[in-house]
Amino acid sequence: MGLFSFRKKPAGPFEFVIEDAFALRSGGAAVAGRMLTGSLRQGAKVLCVSPEGASFVCQVQMIEQPDPARQGEYVHPEEARFDGPFGGHYAFRIPDRRREDFQPGGKLLPVETE
């Protein structure tokens, strides 16, 4: 194998890295970052893990991404994918949480099911 691998990362469990968080005027928070693997559907419950290892469960109410066809406009896809437009960068609206609950370097991961 050469220096670069152009194979797609496998689908499967998602991993989203938080790059920034914002307080919303209407309440709740928005987290912006990048989907590293897998996909996530709007309405999914996710596990937020801080860089220090603390965690809590929250729900992705809405997904937002710049519209690839119209500069300055946004779209709200039903699904966020690691291989989506803009390198898998998205913002997620999280109700019932504050901006301070999310830290850059934190992750959103699947909730373990038993």
Side-chain angles (χ1 to χ4, degrees), residues 22 36 49 55 64 66 70 73 88 96-97 107 109:
F22 307 92
L36 298 179
V49 180
S55 65
E64 184 173 272
R70 289 177 256 154
E73 299 287 324
D96 305 323
R97 285 290 173 174
K107 294 183 178 184
L109 302 169

Side-chain angles (χ1 to χ4, degrees), residues 19-110:
E19 296 172 348
D20 209 347
F22 307 92
L24 300 174
R25 285 184 223 171
S26 60
V31 295
R34 184 166 175 240
M35 188 71 74
L36 298 179
T37 60
S39 64
L40 169 69
R41 294 201 54 81
Q42 179 177 301
K45 288 190 177 184
V46 298
L47 180 67
C48 178
V49 180
S50 75
E52 295 81 29
S55 65
F56 59 87
V57 175
C58 57
Q59 185 173 18
V60 173
Q61 183 180 51
M62 183 183 294
I63 300 169
E64 184 173 272
Q65 185 175 53
D67 187 337
R70 289 177 256 154
Q71 186 175 1
E73 299 287 324
Y74 294 88
V75 294
H76 298 95
E78 297 271 327
E79 182 179 49
R81 299 178 50 86
F82 80 93
D83 59 352
F86 303 101
H89 283 88
Y90 295 91
F92 300 146
R93 180 186 167 116
I94 312 280
D96 305 323
R97 285 290 173 174
R98 300 173 307 136
R99 178 189 64 79
E100 296 80 15
D101 294 338
F102 303 95
Q103 301 170 5
K107 294 183 178 184
L108 298 182
L109 302 169

